[in-house]
Amino acid sequence: MLNKFCKKPLYEVTRTMANVAMGVEKAEMVIRNAKLVNVCTAEIQEGIDVAITQGRIALVGDASHCIGDDTQIIDASGQYIAPGFMDAHIHVESAMITVGEYGRAVVPRGTTGIFMDPHEICNVCGPEGVKAMIDDGKRTPLKAMSNVPSCVPAVAGFEDTGSHIGPEEVREMMTWDGIMGLGEMMSFPNVLSAEPNIHGELAETLKADQVITGHFSIPDTAAGLNAYIASGVRCCHESTRAVDVLEKMRHGMYALMRYGSAWHDMPVIIRAILDNDVEDRFACLISDDTHPDTLISEGHMDHIIRCAVKEGLDPIKAIQYVTINPATCFRMDHEMGSITPGKCADIVFFDDLNDIRITRTIIDGDIVAENGKMVAELSEPDFPASVYDTMHVGETITADSFRIKAPDGKDTVSTRVIEIIPNHVGNYEKIMDLNVTDGFVEADPENDIMKMAVFERHHNTGTKGVGFVKGFGFKKGAMAQTVAHDAHNLLVAGTNDEDMALAANTLIECGGGLCAVADGKVLAIVPLPIAGLMNDLPAEEMADLVAKLDVAWKEMGCVINSPYMTMALIPLACLPELRLTNRGLVDCRTFSFADLFVE
């Protein structure tokens, strides 16, 4: 695959590379006397020099003959160097910041490349939103490689989105610069059933000689997994059991082990490697979704590496999982992922192999970050007008909008309730008896049950789904958010109808975002005017806003980690067991609509 993410393609500079390696020409930069983490052989090499020119590595070894009067020399004595870290699956929109600001936050942490799936903004704004993300990524040294969103909507027929992606759109977008493959194929039931449209998307990707990324979230390691992989899917990040990781790797699929702000699957599923004597070249570490406060306080891939090492993973292996392995997954290992001759000069420096803290980041031979700060200059964001003004709710929302009529003559009613699982993407369907007051079913905060609604907000259709959710711990108030995967309609949950109405209208007025309300007052708000998903503020400022929201949720009684991320998955109709979209409750085990009340 041709690399369009380096200063110059290798075919333009082969003579220069050979001349510098031989000392005929002098290097632009030489790193001297480093401890090289060689991800090709899984060893530490002492006293290594690296000669760099034209944004690429010309020589690894003794580079004394490559040094001239104008060569920039970096003395790395006592330090380790490793290839720049890559995140093989990430939704930038989940950080609620732009790609440029994402780069400003993660490059100083050692991340030099991401394979982003911008299906969040695509669900709202279509291909134009994806193009805006790719364009914004060009203002940062971060290599923001993009996949074409595959499932817009996530599961056709169960929700309403702002746009639609099919084989024709995939064919066109595969020709764009910056595209590396097809985004996570969440519609795995349609892959297994050989549905023509979905397989049309797979075919267009394969015809373009690109990589198909996956989302296989069911515990099927037999015929279903085989059918999914046989359809061309190369990797999957939805493993929640160690056996899922093991079987995916055994079947030649890259297993992307997730550790984001809310999804802490890695400590469980990494046992597939720690407890088995198996080859692990198909293993990667990824974040999937990371909030701005996590990026600022903990880090990005460096943080995930440290967490994996604490679980018992050898640190050299952990580095392989974010360098050579993801590069090979995306068939870019001939260009990235190792400190070897000819590769892009994407290099990170650190002092302690067992507690990796990045001190310097080089991308394409340029020092872009030092001591935790970006030193490269970034231009200002310039998003098109089309990604703003995306709140089009087709009804005036009042407290009455949240009233749920009970079956006639009932004092209590058996109700399907969504029970969340903290720190995991799955949930449970619970059948619970809820009280009826004056003919309407009410929330029950004493038993940790909130009322919930999802309003379509793209086309003024006025459709909405209603239900109940358990597990957040709210004692009072309500919340609303337009970060509601993947259709990103307006999601509202709360203990009383009045606060729910205030929360919903607050977001309609500000163009989308997240907010918390209690006792008729707005306690905190995170405005997200770009598609109702992002703000162009720096990560630090967004982290402050999110921190205030977190305080408000705690004041209302919430007891879980990253609650807004867990709440955001409630409408995602491709994850088990029960979900709520603007069209109603969806049983994601049978992929059918479910009645709210049980006869």
Side-chain angles (χ1 to χ4, degrees):
M1 188 179 295
L2 186 64
N3 175 20
K4 298 182 179 179
F5 291 92
C6 195
K7 282 182 180 177
K8 293 184 179 180
L10 184 57
Y11 63 76
E12 286 187 5
V13 296
T14 56
R15 295 181 68 235
T16 301
M17 304 303 289
N19 281 335
V20 170
M22 295 301 294
V24 176
E25 296 182 38
K26 301 307 178 184
E28 297 170 10
M29 175 187 289
V30 170
I31 302 167
R32 303 223 66 183
N33 200 33
K35 299 176 185 176
L36 170 64
V37 180
N38 193 318
V39 295
C40 300
T41 53
E43 62 178 327
I44 304 296
Q45 292 180 271
E46 302 271 356
I48 296 296
D49 300 343
V50 180
I52 298 169
T53 194
Q54 300 294 318
R56 293 178 177 270
I57 297 164
L59 177 143
V60 179
D62 179 359
S64 54
H65 63 292
C66 305
I67 297 173
D69 292 341
D70 297 325
T71 302
Q72 180 181 5
I73 298 174
I74 298 176
D75 183 2
S77 298
Q79 282 202 298
Y80 293 89
I81 60 172
F85 304 152
M86 289 183 279
D87 192 339
H89 181 73
I90 174 66
H91 305 288
V92 170
E93 303 98 314
S94 293
M96 298 183 283
I97 52 179
T98 63
V99 183
E101 292 306 322
Y102 196 89
R104 194 196 304 273
V106 303
V107 166
R109 299 285 195 162
T111 301
T112 59
I114 59 173
F115 295 91
M116 65 178 182
D117 183 353
H119 70 208
E120 320 298 359
I121 196 169
C122 191
N123 269 275
V124 180
C125 301
E128 190 169 357
V130 177
K131 184 67 163 56
M133 295 285 280
I134 293 172
D135 288 344
D136 189 65
K138 294 175 182 176
R139 66 188 182 92
T140 170
L142 176 70
K143 295 179 178 180
M145 298 164 278
S146 182
N147 293 319
V148 173
S150 64
C151 298
V152 180
V155 184
F158 291 96
E159 62 187 348
D160 291 286
T161 61
S163 186
H164 167 78
I165 294 291
E168 290 185 8
E169 289 79 9
V170 171
R171 183 188 313 122
E172 164 62 23
M173 295 169 74
M174 283 293 165
T175 66
W176 294 1
D177 283 347
I179 293 298
M180 303 298 293
L182 188 69
E184 59 177 296
M185 178 45 70
M186 293 179 286
S187 191
F188 56 86
N190 286 328
V191 174
L192 303 192
S193 66
E195 191 275 328
N197 256 350
I198 287 299
H199 277 265
E201 293 187 17
L202 302 180
E204 293 299 336
T205 306
L206 296 172
K207 282 192 285 186
D209 194 27
Q210 301 280 37
V211 170
I212 300 170
T213 67
H215 172 121
F216 193 75
S217 59
I218 56 175
D220 179 352
T221 57
L225 180 60
N226 277 268
Y228 194 66
I229 298 172
S231 298
V233 184
R234 190 166 172 85
C235 59
C236 178
H237 65 282
E238 283 294 338
S239 301
T240 58
R241 307 176 304 165
V243 67
D244 298 328
V245 168
L246 188 58
E247 289 303 318
K248 286 170 184 174
M249 293 194 301
R250 282 172 170 169
H251 286 73
M253 172 179 265
Y254 283 84
L256 314 184
M257 295 180 287
R258 172 172 51 198
Y259 196 83
S261 292
W263 328 131
H264 294 174
D265 299 302
M266 181 272 293
V268 173
I269 61 180
I270 204 169
R271 303 312 308 182
I273 294 159
L274 298 179
D275 295 345
N276 295 280
D277 184 18
V278 294
E279 169 63 51
D280 58 357
R281 59 182 156 158
F282 287 100
C284 300
L285 294 167
I286 60 123
S287 67
D288 196 5
D289 299 291
T290 306
H291 261 226
D293 48 337
T294 302
L295 295 176
I296 297 303
S297 63
E298 302 289 348
H300 185 220
M301 303 312 294
D302 59 324
H303 169 57
I304 298 173
I305 290 172
R306 291 192 296 269
C307 291
V309 170
K310 286 179 182 177
E311 294 298 324
L313 185 65
D314 180 275
I316 298 177
K317 286 183 176 292
I319 292 171
Q320 287 178 313
Y321 293 4
V322 301
T323 57
I324 190 69
N325 290 11
T328 306
C329 174
F330 282 92
R331 302 190 340 225
M332 292 296 291
D333 53 304
H334 66 300
E335 291 277 8
M336 304 175 185
S338 64
I339 298 178
T340 50
K343 308 302 186 295
C344 299
D346 302 337
I347 301 171
V348 297
F349 295 67
F350 52 93
D351 297 320
D352 187 344
L353 186 63
N354 293 298
D355 185 26
I356 293 175
R357 309 281 173 174
I358 303 303
T359 60
R360 180 185 290 114
T361 304
I362 292 175
I363 297 180
D364 289 344
D366 295 326
I367 298 172
V368 293
E370 286 195 282
N371 300 316
K373 298 293 182 183
M374 182 82 90
V375 296
E377 293 293 328
L378 270 65
S379 60
E380 294 298 314
D382 185 23
F383 279 87
S386 58
V387 303
Y388 297 91
D389 187 26
T390 60
M391 295 297 292
H392 307 293
V393 179
E395 70 170 276
T396 301
I397 295 179
T398 67
D400 288 342
S401 303
F402 300 96
R403 305 190 83 185
I404 299 176
K405 186 171 176 56
D408 291 339
K410 299 279 189 177
D411 294 324
T412 63
V413 58
S414 291
T415 307
R416 286 186 170 87
V417 175
I418 296 171
E419 182 174 13
I420 63 164
I421 308 172
N423 294 326
H424 293 280
V425 299
N427 66 28
Y428 301 125
E429 176 192 51
K430 296 290 185 182
I431 307 300
M432 307 186 73
D433 290 333
L434 300 187
N435 292 326
V436 176
T437 303
D438 298 328
F440 294 94
V441 187
E442 301 296 341
D444 185 1
E446 291 299 316
N447 290 302
D448 190 18
I449 298 173
M450 287 193 293
K451 189 182 293 185
M452 184 169 49
V454 177
F455 298 85
E456 193 277 328
R457 63 114 170 168
H458 305 294
H459 304 294
N460 291 308
T461 65
T463 59
K464 69 179 177 186
V466 295
F468 295 88
V469 63
K470 177 178 176 62
F472 285 96
F474 275 56
K475 301 299 182 185
K476 63 177 183 178
M479 55 69 59
Q481 55 191 71
T482 51
V483 179
H485 302 285
D486 274 341
H488 298 292
N489 286 307
L490 175 59
L491 169 65
V492 190
T495 62
N496 67 87
D497 299 342
E498 290 75 17
D499 282 344
M500 293 174 75
L502 176 58
N505 286 312
T506 298
L507 292 192
I508 292 171
E509 291 168 9
C510 77
L514 304 91
C515 72
V517 168
D519 301 322
K521 297 180 179 179
V522 177
L523 303 182
I525 183 169
V526 180
L528 301 176
I530 301 174
L533 300 172
M534 296 175 290
N535 199 309
D536 61 12
L537 293 173
E540 292 84 358
E541 293 185 39
M542 291 303 295
D544 287 342
L545 290 173
V546 172
K548 292 174 182 175
L549 183 70
D550 193 58
V551 169
W553 279 56
K554 285 182 170 63
E555 287 179 3
M556 293 154 60
C558 188
V559 294
I560 72 166
N561 172 58
S562 292
Y564 14 83
M565 295 192 81
T566 302
M567 186 70 79
L569 290 192
I570 285 173
L572 186 51
C574 62
L575 292 173
E577 294 180 353
L578 190 65
R579 303 286 157 173
L580 179 67
T581 76
N582 68 294
R583 294 193 185 186
L585 284 173
V586 181
D587 186 329
C588 299
R589 297 158 296 186
T590 61
F591 289 94
S592 59
F593 285 106
D595 292 331
L596 177 59
F597 302 122
V598 180
E599 291 295 332

